[in-house]
Amino acid sequence: MTTRKIKSITIAALSVALAAEIVYIGASKKDSISVFSSSEIPETLIISSDIVKINNYSVPVYEFADRDDLFLSAELLNAYGYSILEDSENYILEHTAETYDLTNTVFTDLSGYTVRDAQKKLLSGSGSHYIYNANSLFVVPVEALYDMSEVIYSDVTDTIYIAIGQQDEVNRNITESYAEITAEGGAETASVLASASGTLTAAALPQFLASSATAAPPAAAQQEQNTPQQTSGSRLIVLDAGHGKSSGSMTSAEFESEGYVKNSSGTWGEWRHWKSGTSDVPCEGSGCTGRAPSGGSCWYSAGNGDRATEPDINLQNALAAKKYLEQMGYTVRMTRTSNDQNPSFSKRISYCYPGNDLSANADASLYVCIHSNAGGGSGTAYIALDGLYDQRGISSTYVEDSNRAGKTINDSIVSNTSLSRSGSGALTFEPELIAFCKSPVPVAYLEIGFFDNSSDLSILKSESDSIGKAIAEGIDEYFNG
Ligand SMILES: [Zn+2]
């Protein structure tokens, strides 16, 4: 993954006239940036017969009649967790959402749309690209994704395969793409078009595929830590059922009461970090660790958290966990209790403090994020912490405690439900999540099953009580061994 960071940018809403915060990203083909000379001449989009697959799903691709450059709609990329930000000089493509959900998503057919140069370049990873729009509908060259992805191509399948997401997803998707090429008898034609991580090369492709099958869990997750001495009765657990009401349905009053702020361009969201050493001063783009997903910034738009299927799954699991924790004598605070709520991370984290007062000393013992995964895969996992966190209140063993809690709870889910362990159980490529950067107490971040996998979904729907019990037992084991 690229380590580029963008700071201090002003983020503009792209004033989309459709549904809430649809941003349009496009894409071009292979290495044809120079073709994109800035032009005042409007051009008409047509559907391309070329094939582009993102994580092995074919996506609608557009081109101009007289050129072979390829574009994707920003609306599509938005559904894959990408956002386009804007500062005074550029647009900036960033990948912010940890999961994505294409279920029930209908994309605008841009065939016949007349587009013009958007007048600003699009920065993505280390690259700079022309971007086009038709009024507020943006298309982005496919190539813009190359600076943030692993990309392979085969003449035999005549398909560009783009792999995005967490590293284990990327590995799995590249493996599947390669299998498709091999099945068509074109293994020797597979070539690497781009590798944002720098790890995927043509020569290394077979090796890469072999090694991706044997990723090891991080050493920290294996360590035995000291066991806290308190009894369950004096312990306070915050259960955070991830996601919630869609931002497109929220009123300004709701955004405000849920702890969101507007940036200078009128987009609701929040800052990813506190100022270093504080627990209640939003970074506003500086004075913080600056940690963000690859290509990302300190700003997080509320729309990036929108999910269709996941909110209720998470809520049912969290409510079941609450019931069992209370039976064991724990005190539980919920960050939300209905699917009509969608608290900001700052608001969710405030439940770690007495009276939701971020300036007080935290009285919670553990913050448990209850999510479900998507994007192709199966089984249950936790997201591991790693690196620098510098918010007020965390202990010197914040990372180790968090990872041990995540592993213990996830192992309990594997042992006590029909869900399998996803890979090693540890997702190690997203250590910069907002909850990790804002919580004053250890965070167990669970991705329980894949709700876009029909087998997992059926388990999620029929075993939420068992999943909740397993979460409660895992939490108790974390504290009491
Ligand atoms: Zn920041």
Side-chain angles (χ1 to χ4, degrees):
M1 295 290 171
T2 169
T3 57
R4 184 170 179 280
K5 289 190 173 65
I6 301 164
K7 291 187 178 181
S8 304
I9 57 167
T10 303
I11 295 133
L14 292 178
S15 58
V16 173
L18 304 176
E21 194 165 333
I22 291 171
V23 203
Y24 276 61
I25 306 167
S28 87
K29 189 175 188 176
K30 298 170 205 167
D31 35 43
S32 50
I33 294 183
S34 60
V35 177
F36 290 106
S37 56
S38 177
S39 167
E40 295 303 311
I41 304 168
E43 307 227 32
T44 302
L45 289 172
I46 58 175
I47 274 280
S48 172
S49 58
D50 288 1
I51 304 168
V52 173
K53 292 186 176 181
I54 298 178
N55 291 355
N56 295 311
Y57 286 97
S58 287
V59 295
V61 192
Y62 300 95
E63 61 187 15
F64 299 132
D66 55 347
R67 312 203 310 222
D68 63 359
D69 312 305
L70 300 179
F71 300 86
L72 300 176
S73 79
E75 185 183 35
L76 171 78
L77 295 186
N78 197 228
Y80 274 103
Y82 288 86
S83 299
I84 295 179
L85 312 179
E86 182 183 17
D87 66 13
S88 59
E89 296 178 354
N90 296 291
Y91 292 111
I92 300 148
L93 179 65
E94 73 166 28
H95 191 223
T96 49
E98 74 266 30
T99 60
Y100 34 83
D101 179 13
L102 303 181
T103 316
N104 303 323
T105 304
V106 178
F107 300 110
T108 309
D109 180 2
L110 296 178
S111 300
Y113 274 63
T114 298
V115 299
R116 294 173 184 271
D117 178 2
Q119 303 297 321
K120 288 179 181 179
K121 291 287 197 65
L122 177 72
L123 304 181
S124 66
S126 56
S128 175
H129 309 268
Y130 284 97
I131 177 172
Y132 292 79
N133 68 350
N135 297 319
S136 55
L137 306 179
F138 280 75
V139 293
V140 177
V142 169
E143 205 168 59
L145 287 184
Y146 290 10
D147 294 301
M148 307 169 73
S149 332
E150 309 297 304
V151 188
I152 63 178
Y153 173 77
S154 163
D155 286 337
V156 170
T157 59
D158 198 22
T159 299
I160 296 172
Y161 303 88
I162 300 172
I164 61 171
Q166 298 155 5
Q167 191 64 44
D168 62 336
E169 289 181 273
V170 168
N171 292 351
R172 183 173 59 248
N173 283 305
I174 289 289
T175 303
E176 286 177 14
S177 303
Y178 193 71
E180 178 178 301
I181 297 168
T182 303
E184 295 294 319
E188 68 283 357
T189 72
S191 59
V192 175
L193 290 186
S195 176
S197 71
T199 59
L200 185 62
T201 64
L205 192 53
Q207 251 180 334
F208 173 89
L209 297 168
S211 65
S212 68
T214 56
Q222 311 267 33
Q223 292 173 11
E224 284 303 314
Q225 295 297 318
N226 58 317
T227 301
Q229 297 303 308
Q230 280 175 276
T231 63
S232 60
S234 59
R235 289 198 178 279
L236 201 159
I237 310 298
V238 178
L239 295 182
D240 176 28
H243 306 288
K245 184 174 186 174
S246 176
S247 64
S249 318
M250 291 171 66
T251 64
S252 293
E254 284 177 304
F255 278 120
E256 282 176 14
S257 70
E258 297 284 42
Y260 295 96
V261 295
K262 262 187 183 175
N263 65 12
S264 57
S265 54
T267 301
W268 287 105
E270 69 183 302
W271 297 97
R272 291 180 174 277
H273 320 105
W274 307 121
K275 298 268 190 204
S276 293
T278 78
S279 59
D280 59 352
V281 186
C283 73
E284 299 188 343
S286 65
C288 60
T289 61
R291 301 189 75 189
S294 174
S297 73
C298 285
W299 178 256
Y300 181 86
S301 293
N304 291 344
D306 289 347
R307 299 291 184 278
T309 309
E310 196 184 344
D312 191 55
I313 290 171
N314 298 341
L315 182 60
Q316 297 313 317
N317 288 338
L319 288 169
K322 175 178 189 285
K323 177 180 75 177
Y324 288 105
L325 282 167
E326 288 175 345
Q327 286 176 10
M328 294 173 182
Y330 288 88
T331 301
V332 176
R333 288 185 194 139
M334 301 281 289
T335 62
R336 68 177 179 93
T337 53
S338 89
N339 294 321
D340 244 358
Q341 300 164 282
N342 182 26
S344 64
F345 285 95
S346 299
K347 176 118 183 232
R348 291 170 192 260
I349 291 295
S350 75
Y351 289 93
C352 296
Y353 297 87
N356 298 77
D357 179 1
L358 292 163
S359 68
N361 288 324
D363 57 355
S365 295
L366 184 67
Y367 184 84
V368 182
C369 299
I370 298 176
H371 285 249
S372 184
N373 216 337
S378 66
T380 181
Y382 72 97
I383 300 180
L385 288 73
D386 187 31
L388 174 64
Y389 308 93
D390 63 357
Q391 62 269 37
R392 181 185 76 92
I394 56 174
S395 76
S396 60
T397 55
Y398 176 65
V399 171
E400 295 92 322
D401 291 346
S402 296
N403 289 341
R404 188 170 60 83
K407 175 175 165 49
T408 305
I409 299 166
N410 194 57
D411 286 350
S412 175
I413 296 170
V414 172
S415 298
N416 295 303
T417 75
S418 304
L419 288 167
S420 60
R421 184 179 285 103
S422 184
S424 71
L427 302 172
T428 58
F429 286 84
E430 250 181 337
E432 68 289 285
L433 295 179
I434 299 176
F436 299 161
C437 295
K438 286 190 165 174
S439 176
V441 299
V443 182
Y445 202 116
L446 304 165
E447 292 284 356
I448 304 170
F450 280 69
F451 64 82
D452 62 351
N453 172 312
S454 60
S455 169
D456 277 12
L457 182 62
S458 138
I459 297 168
L460 287 162
K461 288 190 166 167
S462 62
E463 295 188 24
S464 61
D465 194 72
S466 303
I467 291 168
K469 187 163 187 275
I471 292 169
E473 288 171 351
I475 290 169
D476 195 53
E477 187 183 343
Y478 163 72
F479 287 116
N480 298 313

